[in-house]
Amino acid sequence: MAPIIGAAFKMFVPFIVILPGLLALALLPIKLTGEAAAVASGGHSYNEVLPLMLARYCGPGLLGLGITALIAGFMSGMAGNVSAFSTVWTYDIYAALIKKDASDSHYVSMGRWSTVLGVAVSIGTAYLVMQFLSIMDYVQALFSFFIAPLFGTVILGMLWKRATAAGGFWGLLAGTVSSVGMWAWVKIDPTALRYVALSPNARDMAENMYRALWSWIVCVVVTVVVSLLTKPKPVSELTGLVYGATDIPSEDNVPLYHRPAFWAAVVVVIFAVLNVIFW
Amino acid sequence: MEPDTSISIWFFIGISLLVNGVLILGAGLYQLVHPPPPAQQVVLYQLHANVWWGAVLLLIGVIYSVKFSPSRTRLES
């Protein structure tokens, strides 16, 4: 059920990201520009919409709460990502592949140092973001690098019993590398846009969308091919992990509004309607 | 069996809402009595958003702090 609740909230993200900007466009007396133009002219960029709107409408007390909420949002996102970085590095890579027989205190200390390194890397990425027109462009580019191929890996891993670990690894790697490669290709040679986004006049968002689509296809194709060429895992090891190898509990006595399939259908219908409206 | 001595997370959320409500409502009421000069007023000042939002936060804070207070939840269990 959790992924379905997550999917419902995920559909709000475009509204949360875009609505304040549209409101600011209609309500703010100043003209917002891109980051580079704002730095050059001393004006405000559209990345500053939320603080500008808060300062305009919220008096003492509410302004503090709004700023606190913004900072809390940044901090929780940062804390979640940094702790995930530290855990994945320490447990899944360092302890699993590099140093298998160290003491707990060694792994704790490695976790702490990787947290410090993770924070330093994330500060470094802030300078990378400055190259992009807006945070939205940056986020979409990152999504096309990592989330789109990861979606291919996850969906195949969940639904296809024949998928293997090697297939998943090489598929994800190929999808991510091809996505970053397409991004770099267009940066070096802007005429490549007509191949990546199927149009020489494509805007950044269209390019991000097509890049995500190609990287997903590359990931799925490579995963399928490598999986077919490698030794499959026995079905007994896949129980509870893959759809076809897991016993699904009967839902005969469960009311409709408690069934995940019902809510999944609701989410799919809303998703389709939103896409038709905002196409 | 040991009695459950844990405190509900909703109690702390209630306290947080309550404190924010008191501060924001207090600031709003102070501004109502001593209005800032027009140049320093926020847009739509006449709607007194901090009074309304402060009151809403205070109300929800009181409900949550009372409903999930440690003494009450222990009595129920």
Side-chain angles (χ1 to χ4, degrees):
Chain A
M1 201 59 195
I4 297 169
I5 298 171
F9 279 110
K10 198 76 186 168
M11 287 191 289
F12 285 109
V13 170
F15 293 104
I16 295 167
V17 172
I18 292 165
L19 206 60
L22 290 177
L23 288 173
L25 192 66
L27 294 171
L28 286 180
I30 47 174
K31 188 175 174 346
L32 299 176
T33 57
E35 195 67 50
V39 170
S41 67
H44 294 288
S45 86
Y46 30 66
N47 289 336
E48 295 166 55
V49 159
L50 281 177
L52 285 173
M53 296 283 272
L54 277 171
R56 184 175 158 87
Y57 290 102
C58 294
L62 267 188
L63 181 62
L65 182 65
I67 299 288
T68 311
L70 272 181
I71 294 173
F74 299 148
M75 282 168 63
S76 72
M78 175 103 176
N81 286 326
V82 166
S83 69
F85 173 81
S86 153
T87 312
V88 167
W89 163 252
T90 311
Y91 264 96
D92 297 342
I93 299 173
Y94 185 74
L97 303 170
I98 298 171
K99 201 171 170 77
K100 292 178 184 173
D101 50 358
S103 64
D104 281 354
S105 63
H106 177 83
Y107 290 131
V108 170
S109 133
M110 173 53 74
R112 284 180 182 153
W113 280 109
S114 61
T115 304
V116 173
L117 188 74
V119 173
V121 170
S122 61
I123 293 170
T125 58
Y127 290 91
L128 195 67
V129 180
M130 287 164 70
Q131 292 181 17
F132 288 82
L133 283 175
S134 72
I135 296 171
M136 187 70 179
D137 281 313
Y138 175 66
V139 167
Q140 295 301 334
L142 280 192
F143 273 24
S144 75
F145 291 170
F146 300 110
I147 308 289
L150 189 63
F151 176 57
T153 307
V154 168
I155 209 87
L156 277 178
M158 271 174 23
L159 300 179
W160 193 39
K161 281 186 280 189
R162 186 65 182 78
T164 63
F169 174 78
W170 290 109
L172 189 56
L173 188 68
T176 305
V177 168
S178 67
S179 187
V180 176
M182 279 182 274
W183 175 79
W185 187 23
V186 174
K187 276 270 172 247
I188 295 164
D189 175 18
T191 58
L193 195 61
R194 67 176 185 275
Y195 302 113
V196 173
L198 303 182
S199 161
N201 304 316
R203 306 295 292 265
D204 286 347
M205 284 296 156
E207 184 199 344
N208 288 330
M209 192 72 202
Y210 273 105
R211 200 187 315 116
L213 177 66
W214 300 135
S215 64
W216 185 85
I217 292 173
V218 168
C219 171
V220 168
V221 169
V222 172
T223 305
V224 169
V225 170
V226 175
S227 291
L228 290 174
L229 294 175
T230 45
K231 191 167 164 275
K233 259 184 186 286
V235 176
S236 58
E237 285 182 29
L238 301 175
T239 309
L241 295 171
V242 182
Y243 181 70
T246 306
D247 289 329
I248 309 290
S250 163
E251 289 185 343
D252 291 343
N253 298 323
V254 180
L256 187 67
Y257 59 90
H258 276 165
R259 291 184 194 183
F262 170 71
W263 290 108
V266 170
V267 166
V268 167
V269 169
I270 298 174
F271 176 72
V273 169
L274 286 174
N275 269 284
V276 169
I277 294 173
F278 294 103
W279 188 255
Chain B
M1 209 174 105
E2 289 275 312
D4 183 16
T5 52
S6 60
I7 300 173
S8 168
I9 183 77
W10 297 110
F11 173 68
F12 293 99
I13 289 170
I15 294 291
S16 170
L17 291 173
L18 184 71
V19 171
N20 275 296
V22 168
L23 291 173
I24 294 169
L25 179 65
L29 291 175
Y30 179 81
Q31 280 203 332
L32 212 58
V33 181
H34 303 285
Q40 290 175 20
Q41 287 178 0
V42 291
V43 180
L44 301 180
Y45 168 78
Q46 71 280 8
L47 296 180
H48 300 291
N50 38 11
V51 174
W52 290 105
W53 280 109
V56 169
L57 289 177
L58 185 67
L59 183 69
I60 301 173
V62 167
I63 293 172
Y64 271 71
S65 316
V66 172
K67 187 168 164 45
F68 295 98
S69 74
S71 57
R72 200 183 161 97
T73 45
R74 248 168 242 157
L75 276 177
E76 281 172 3
S77 64

